[in-house]
Each structure stands twice: as structure tokens, then as C-alpha cells.
Amino acid sequence: MEILFAPDRVRTLRRYGMRSQEVIQTLAGHADRVLAVPVNEDRDLIFSGSKDRIVKLWDARVKVEPQIVSGHTDLVLDVAITKDGRVVSGSKDKTVKLWDASKGKEI
């Protein structure tokens, strides 16, 4: 089944079935609006960047608290995933950070 992850207008991400267009899962945990939601190729790891200055790493297969990586001093404008599984985040604080997604640490 094809899926789509999208931020809503509050602090959550919603996972939709592309065919059914129904909400399959809601992920909550940011303190402010979510601005970026890239998903890995297997569509099981979701990354979210928010106005709360935090990047969260979610595992869609299990219902546990997301891993949090912080280091930005202003809102996170974009998040991307590299081919080798690292995460890149860009912020309004004029920094770009590279993260090891498996460890939740800045590289």
C-alpha cells in the first residue's frame, strides 16, 4: 500500500493511505507546527522538522516516543535524508546540520 505523511496545521503528522485517503496513523509530539516531513525509501522511518527547533526521528513500525535531535537555535525549515541514511537539517538560524540517524547525534 502506498502511503503519504503530511504535517497538519497543529503539531502532528498524519499517515494517509494513498488509495483510501484515510488517516492510518497520527504521530504527535512537537511543541509547535511541523514544517518538513521527509520519509526514507522503505517508508518506515519518518523525520520531522518543526518551528520548535527540533528534528524528530519516528519509526512508523512501532509506537514509541520518537528520537529527538536538537541543536538548532531557530525553527527547522527543512529536513532531508541522504542515500546512506544520514539526516540533514536546515534552520532559520542559518545553519545546516548533519545527523547520524541511527545514533541521534550530530556528525
Side-chain angles (χ1 to χ4, degrees):
M1 169 176 28
E2 290 295 316
I3 54 174
L4 168 72
F5 290 90
D8 63 17
R9 291 198 171 132
V10 288
R11 298 168 233 176
T12 62
L13 306 172
R14 292 188 180 177
R15 181 181 184 183
Y16 292 89
M18 292 293 285
R19 290 192 181 108
S20 69
Q21 298 182 358
E22 293 179 9
V23 175
I24 298 168
Q25 183 180 25
T26 300
L27 304 172
H30 277 287
D32 207 334
R33 188 172 179 187
V34 177
L35 300 175
V37 188
V39 179
N40 71 341
E41 288 181 10
D42 295 330
R43 297 199 183 269
D44 55 357
L45 298 177
I46 307 115
F47 303 87
S48 57
S50 171
K51 289 178 97 175
D52 63 8
R53 304 177 309 225
I54 293 175
V55 175
K56 291 195 176 192
L57 293 71
W58 310 78
D59 188 332
R61 300 166 295 185
V62 294
K63 295 182 179 181
V64 297
E65 283 292 312
Q67 188 174 19
I68 299 170
V69 293
S70 60
H72 287 294
T73 58
D74 207 337
L75 56 94
V76 177
L77 295 168
D78 203 4
V79 180
I81 305 164
T82 65
K83 291 280 185 191
D84 61 357
R86 293 180 290 175
V87 178
V88 180
S89 59
S91 171
K92 191 174 179 184
D93 65 12
K94 300 179 184 173
T95 64
V96 174
K97 297 192 179 283
L98 182 63
W99 308 94
D100 180 334
S102 65
K103 298 176 184 173
K105 303 268 185 203
E106 186 176 355
I107 297 174

